[in-house]
Amino acid sequence: FRGGAELLFDGVKKHQVTLPCQPEPWDIRSLLKWIKQNLLKERPELFIQGESVRPGILVLINEADWELMGELDYKLQDQDNVLFISTLHGG
C-alpha cells in the first residue's frame, strides 16, 4: 500500500499474506473482499467501491498495471506481488 493508502491499514505498507484454501482459485475480486474483511482498518469507502477498488487507486500485479492482467478476473499465482497505490491527493 502506497501513496497514502497505507493509512487505511494502520499505516502498514507491506503485508505478506497466505490466503486460506478455497474451492475456486483466488482472483483479485476475492482478494479485495478478503482485504476488506481482514486488513482494512478504517474508511472502506476510500479504498473499495462496489466489488473493485475506488477510482484513483492504481493496482499493480508483479509491477504491471492490472488492466493488462485482466483486472478483477486475474487468477492469483503463488508469490504474486499486488501493490495498491493511491493517486488521490487532498488540497
Side-chain angles (χ1 to χ4, degrees), residues 22-63:
Q22 64 178 25
E24 298 295 318
W26 281 89
D27 56 19
I28 296 293
R29 180 179 287 107
S30 55
L31 174 65
L32 288 173
K33 290 178 190 174
W34 186 89
I35 286 173
K36 184 178 178 183
Q37 294 171 350
N38 296 280
L39 297 179
L40 190 57
K41 300 298 183 191
E42 60 181 87
R43 304 195 58 192
E45 71 277 4
L46 294 180
F47 185 72
I48 300 284
Q49 185 174 21
E51 287 189 325
S52 189
V53 292
R54 152 187 189 129
I57 304 286
L58 176 64
V59 181
L60 301 177
I61 302 169
N62 301 321
E63 300 183 17

